[in-house]
Every structure is written in C-alpha cells, then in structure tokens.
Amino acid sequence: MNYGLQISASGVLTSMYRQDVLSNNLANMSTVGYKPDIPTTMQRDPARIEDDLGFMPSNSMIERLGAGVLSAPNRVSYAQGALETTDRPLDLAIEGDGFFVVRNDGPGAGGVQVRLTRDGRFSLDSSGQIVMTTTGLPLMDTRNQPITPPSAGPIGVAVDGTMMQDGEIFAQVQVADVPDRSVLKKEGAGLFAPSAAGVSSIFTIQGRVRQGSVEGAAVNEIDAMMQVTSASRAAQTNIGMITYHDRLMERAINTFGRSA
C-alpha cells in the first residue's frame, strides 16, 4: 500500500477519535462535577521497529517520517468547575483539590469499593443515610463510615466538612485525594475508581466544602467547540490527502502499467 496513504489514514482515524472525545465533553457541559477528557496522540514507529524486524532492509530517510500517528490514552483535566448555588442543604461542592468519598458494595464493584466523585448532589435514602442522589452510593465520613444524621432536623455543613444538627457535631465529610491521579479511572455517573494499588495511596485533605452549591462541569463551551471544529477539519484534510494519493496510484497504473 502507498506509504503516504497509510500516514493519511492514521491521521483520519485519530482526528475522528479526537472529535468523538471532544464532542462528548461538549455534551456534558451541564453535568455536575464533570471533568473533561483530553485526547492525545503519539507517533507510530516504522513497521521495521514496531514489529522488531531489524534484519529487514529499509530506507532511513523514510523511517524518520514515522508511520503516522496513533491515539494515546486520554488524560483527564481536573480543573475547578464553576460553583453553582442551589440552596439545597445537602448539595455540597469542593472548592480546590479533593474528592468526596463514596462506597460501592454492589456486585459490579470488583475488589475495590472506594469511589471518588466531585458530584456533590446528596440526599437521604429510605434508611436515613446520606447518599449520592444519582447513584444511591453512601457518602463516607473521615472514619470511612456512612453518614446517618441523628434526626430529621436541618443539617449544617461547615467549610471543613463538619456536619451539625441541633448545634451538635455528628460527622465530618471526608474529602480525599491521591498523589497520582493517573490511578483514577472514569466509571460513569461522575465516579472515579482508583486502581487496586491506588486505594492505599488515598489520603484525607482539608478541602473547602461549600454547602448549598454544586460544582459545574469544567468545560469551556467556546474552547470545546473550537477543538471539535479543529478535529473535524484535520479529518477532512487527511481524507483529501487519501483522495490525492489514490489519484496518483490510479495515474501511475494507467500510465506505467500499459503494455508497450
């Protein structure tokens, strides 16, 4: 196959993937606590290097061009989203670093039950525990225990996460983080699942908790739209190059492939 066509094809595939990822960010602009994905690419090694065919003859000048690009693992932007006031007493937002800690004991949780989230929409379930409104997973305190208010009265939450009812402290919301956020994997519903090795690295921090607010998506609408447009144009440009190489091959076959 034509070498230039292969490089152009790799550009089409990576550009279309970038467009999908960036469009998903745009679609989640209204998702509470959403952290956008950042698509990345890496240069693909020539086939002789990639397939460990060092004994095969090759052209060093062509090899320096590489073999196109491949999609690399997505990164996640943990930038702070704007805080939106809701005035609901069990809506909480973290200002700065950190995550709320919830526990998933469901059948699909695997060996790791701890989940981290920036989605601070909480409510009381039928048993009186404070849980995520979207998933029903219980919110953990600093002792890694579910939080159950002692009565049905109003709940106050201080900046350090201390929960009070009738003037008495009954729990403190756990705000935690990890040294290396690459151990976190998006799980959907605003949840981040740490790897089995990453669970032991989770540590409690003094995050600033804001009651009656939630954190909006950390997506810039204008920037996201421009990135989607850029990815679309890159895909179209590479498709144009594929058409160009196809015409060159057709001309070469029709011109040099004729019988004398």
Side-chain angles (χ1 to χ4, degrees):
M1 185 182 289
N2 185 288
Y3 193 68
L5 193 149
Q6 288 182 326
I7 294 178
S8 300
S10 70
V12 172
L13 294 175
T14 54
S15 296
M16 291 179 66
Y17 177 72
R18 282 180 57 231
Q19 188 175 3
D20 288 343
V21 173
L22 296 169
S23 296
N24 182 65
N25 290 341
L26 199 57
N28 280 280
M29 281 191 53
S30 300
T31 302
V32 173
Y34 179 77
K35 299 302 177 185
D37 292 306
I38 303 174
T40 60
T41 58
M42 61 183 179
Q43 182 173 339
R44 182 178 180 181
D45 290 326
R48 189 174 66 88
I49 298 174
E50 186 176 77
D51 299 331
D52 195 20
L53 301 174
F55 57 88
M56 295 289 290
S58 183
N59 185 299
S60 59
M61 183 175 293
I62 293 180
E63 282 193 359
R64 284 200 293 271
L65 296 176
V69 292
L70 294 173
S71 293
N74 292 338
R75 297 199 302 267
V76 179
S77 171
Y78 292 98
Q80 174 82 52
L83 300 189
E84 302 170 3
T85 302
T86 65
D87 292 327
R88 290 190 289 267
L90 288 181
D91 278 352
L92 306 176
I94 298 173
E95 186 177 9
D97 292 334
F99 300 85
F100 296 112
V101 181
V102 296
R103 189 171 184 86
N104 183 9
D105 294 324
V112 179
Q113 284 78 39
V114 173
R115 298 293 185 269
L116 305 179
T117 184
R118 295 280 293 199
D119 185 349
R121 293 173 293 178
F122 299 104
S123 57
L124 296 175
D125 67 3
S126 57
S127 65
Q129 286 187 349
I130 297 178
V131 299
M132 287 186 68
T133 301
T134 54
T135 63
L137 300 182
L139 176 66
M140 296 290 104
D141 64 12
T142 51
R143 300 172 300 166
N144 286 317
Q145 297 297 318
I147 300 175
T148 303
S151 68
I155 297 173
V157 183
V159 175
D160 64 353
T162 299
M163 287 189 155
M164 296 165 287
Q165 199 171 58
D166 299 325
E168 298 291 333
I169 296 175
F170 66 89
Q172 184 176 10
V173 177
Q174 182 178 175
V175 179
D177 209 338
V178 290
D180 180 12
R181 289 178 177 171
S182 66
V183 303
L184 301 180
K185 179 182 179 181
K186 279 191 174 183
E187 198 176 61
L191 299 174
F192 292 90
S195 64
V199 173
S200 59
S201 67
I202 294 176
F203 61 93
T204 302
I205 64 173
Q206 292 298 320
R208 297 178 62 84
V209 179
R210 299 296 185 185
Q211 186 179 19
S213 300
V214 293
E215 180 185 4
V219 179
N220 183 295
E221 179 181 6
I222 303 301
D223 184 57
M225 291 181 64
M226 292 180 64
Q227 290 186 59
V228 170
T229 302
S230 175
S232 175
R233 288 177 178 172
Q236 292 172 3
T237 300
N238 281 284
I239 290 173
M241 290 301 297
I242 289 177
T243 303
Y244 177 74
H245 284 291
D246 185 56
R247 290 175 180 173
L248 284 179
M249 286 191 293
E250 180 182 5
R251 180 174 297 181
I253 292 170
N254 292 336
T255 303
F256 300 109
R258 293 177 180 174
S259 300

